[in-house]
Structure formats: structure tokens, C-alpha cells
Amino acid sequence: MIKVDQNLCIGCGTCVALCPKGFQMNAEGKSDAISQEDLECAKNAAASCPTQAIIVE
Ligand code: SF4
């Protein structure tokens, strides 16, 4: 399961840049997980997220 904690996300866009098929900015300017398919990319994005807002479990 890939998800983004909306309370932690600061909308930096790093995860969207790294995994454009996995994450998308929403109307609040935060990131949403839009696909569960690429766990490896999501893990990479999670490691690069400045606020540890991406949960991969
Ligand atoms: S990398 Fe983290 S803080 Fe930046 S947009 Fe993605 S989830 Fe939000």
C-alpha cells in the first residue's frame, strides 16, 4: 500500500518528479498516490521525501 500523509506533505513535488506515474499533486497542493503499481519507485520517493510523508507498507 502506497499512501501520502496529507498532514506531513509540504507539496515540494519531489515524489511527482521521481515517480510521475505514482504520484500527482492534488487541489490542495499536496501529493496523492495515484497508483499502487511501482513499489520500488515509491520506496525511492519515500526515501527522498523531506518530511517522510510517503508511506509504503
Ligand atoms: S516528496 Fe513528500 S513532501 Fe514532497 S510532495 Fe511528495 S509527499 Fe509531499
Side-chain angles (χ1 to χ4, degrees):
M1 183 71 183
I2 303 163
K3 53 190 174 182
V4 176
D5 185 326
Q6 299 293 300
N7 293 319
L8 290 177
C9 176
I10 57 169
C12 71
T14 299
C15 56
V16 178
L18 289 173
C19 309
K21 291 180 180 167
F23 298 95
Q24 189 174 59
M25 302 312 286
N26 62 30
E28 282 75 46
K30 302 197 173 185
S31 169
D32 278 331
I34 55 168
S35 166
Q36 300 294 322
E37 285 188 7
D38 196 341
L39 275 180
E40 284 312 307
C41 197
K43 283 181 190 170
N44 189 28
S48 299
C49 174
T51 61
Q52 283 85 51
I54 301 170
I55 301 138
V56 183
E57 59 191 13

